[in-house]
Amino acid sequence: DAKTTQPNSMESNEEEPVHLPCNHSTISGTDYIHWYRQLPSQGPEYVIHGLTSNVNNRMASLAIAEDRKSSTLILHRATLRDAAVYYCILRDVRRGADGLTFGKGTHLIIQP
Amino acid sequence: NAGVTQTPKFQVLKTGQSMTLQCAQDMNHEYMSWYRQDPGMGLRLIHYSVGAGITDQGEVPNGYNVSRSTTEDFPLRLLSAAPSQTSVYFCASSYRVGTGNNEQFFGPGTRLTVL
């Protein structure tokens, strides 16, 4: 799978929007962009994924650049519960079942 | 649905001891996997299974065995524990094989310390 680059940490205020960036300049046409998050002392939790078009769900929005070399996870109104490590992961849809490749992710800090 | 459950939550072993970490899911998922997470690091894949009776190795399989006799259960066995296996272990499952377009569901983890 192609590699992703994320900032080590970001800080935001409660009830404000948060934009978490991810660069993936070597992405291939069959790579899906996945986001997971891991709250303290818990297992990872699926957030959202997409291929080319922007995606929305109840947790977040995913904005994908037109050239697909970057994407942004948007939390519309951050709460203290959103403090977590956020992982941006590429998965080639042609690949088999050999799991997700987690990097170090972005540690999101939410200030009250 | 209970989702993905793991037992025990915590375990302390002595070097050389063996034990089995349990993982079960009640979502009728065909794909299950085991990861380990060391402090400050991302998760690394140990073993995975694409269905009952079928298992394969991931990135870091040495020192671990798995089997999949039923769709629901995927136990991870440590044959002879070593301090290097001190980690947090996560089990995950997904509905279909091929994780490109599927979300994975993770269990709460087992925190293992090997003295």
Side-chain angles (χ1 to χ4, degrees), chain B residues 7-58:
Chain B
T7 56
K9 285 187 169 53
F10 301 93
Q11 183 70 50
V12 178
L13 291 178
K14 294 182 179 177
T15 297
Q17 286 185 316
S18 62
M19 80 159 295
T20 300
L21 280 62
Q22 301 292 343
C23 174
Q25 52 90 11
D26 61 357
M27 298 174 282
N28 200 31
H29 285 174
E30 63 180 12
Y31 177 84
M32 296 185 74
S33 57
W34 277 100
Y35 294 83
R36 62 177 286 174
Q37 184 174 32
D38 300 324
M41 305 291 289
L43 281 69
R44 291 184 293 168
L45 185 68
I46 305 172
H47 284 285
Y48 63 93
S49 169
V50 300
I54 307 169
T55 63
D56 208 343
Q57 296 181 349

Side-chain angles (χ1 to χ4, degrees), chain B residues 18-104:
Chain B
S18 62
M19 80 159 295
T20 300
L21 280 62
Q22 301 292 343
C23 174
Q25 52 90 11
D26 61 357
M27 298 174 282
N28 200 31
H29 285 174
E30 63 180 12
Y31 177 84
M32 296 185 74
S33 57
W34 277 100
Y35 294 83
R36 62 177 286 174
Q37 184 174 32
D38 300 324
M41 305 291 289
L43 281 69
R44 291 184 293 168
L45 185 68
I46 305 172
H47 284 285
Y48 63 93
S49 169
V50 300
I54 307 169
T55 63
D56 208 343
Q57 296 181 349
E59 181 186 354
V60 288
N62 292 341
Y64 307 96
N65 272 0
V66 291
S67 60
R68 183 103 178 262
S69 57
T70 67
T71 300
E72 295 78 19
D73 300 298
F74 190 44
L76 178 72
R77 280 182 287 277
L78 280 70
L79 306 173
S80 178
S84 61
Q85 293 178 304
T86 294
S87 191
V88 182
Y89 291 84
F90 292 101
C91 181
S93 72
S94 68
Y95 180 58
R96 287 189 299 273
V97 173
T99 53
N101 192 24
N102 296 320
E103 66 175 282
Q104 288 204 23

Side-chain angles (χ1 to χ4, degrees), chain A residues 32 34 36 38 41-44 46 49 87 91-93 95-100 102-104, chain B residues 31 35 37 40-43 45 48 50 90 97-104 106-108 111:
Chain A
Y32 274 82
H34 287 248
Y36 282 77
Q38 188 172 21
S41 300
Q42 294 189 28
Y46 167 81
H49 76 281
Y87 298 98
R91 282 299 297 171
D92 191 331
V93 71
R95 286 189 66 162
D98 54 345
L100 299 168
F102 286 81
K104 292 190 176 182
Chain B
Y31 177 84
Y35 294 83
Q37 184 174 32
M41 305 291 289
L43 281 69
L45 185 68
Y48 63 93
V50 300
F90 292 101
V97 173
T99 53
N101 192 24
N102 296 320
E103 66 175 282
Q104 288 204 23
F106 285 82
R111 283 155 180 76

